[in-house]
Amino acid sequence: MSTFIAKYNSGTCAGCDSPVKAGDEITRNLDQDYVHVDCPDAELDSMANKPVCPSCWMVGPCDCD
C-alpha cells in the first residue's frame, strides 16, 4: 500500500466519511477512493472473507466457472 500526503481538500474518506484535507496522509482503496491511512477500509475488510478463484485470483464471483 503506497501512501501520500493530500495536496488538496479531496472529498470524503471512504473509511470514516470525514473530510480528506490537505496535509492528511492518505492512500487509495480498490475502488480508487481516498482513505486516511489510519482509518479502517470497510471494502478491504469485507474482501478478506470472500473466496478467491484459484484460476484468475479474482475475489468473489468470476466468469471462470
Side-chain angles (χ1 to χ4, degrees):
M1 167 173 62
S2 63
T3 65
F4 54 97
I5 303 298
K7 291 184 181 180
Y8 308 101
N9 294 337
S10 303
T12 305
C13 173
C16 67
D17 292 327
S18 64
V20 173
K21 299 177 281 194
D24 289 351
E25 187 176 5
I26 58 175
T27 189
R28 295 246 193 183
N29 66 9
L30 297 175
D31 288 330
Q32 296 299 306
D33 296 321
Y34 294 113
V35 180
H36 292 113
V37 174
D38 56 354
C39 287
D41 186 353
E43 179 183 356
L44 291 176
D45 291 342
S46 67
M47 291 185 73
N49 297 323
K50 292 184 180 176
V52 177
C53 174
S55 298
C56 69
W57 299 100
M58 185 171 180
V59 175
C62 64
D63 295 327
C64 290
D65 293 333

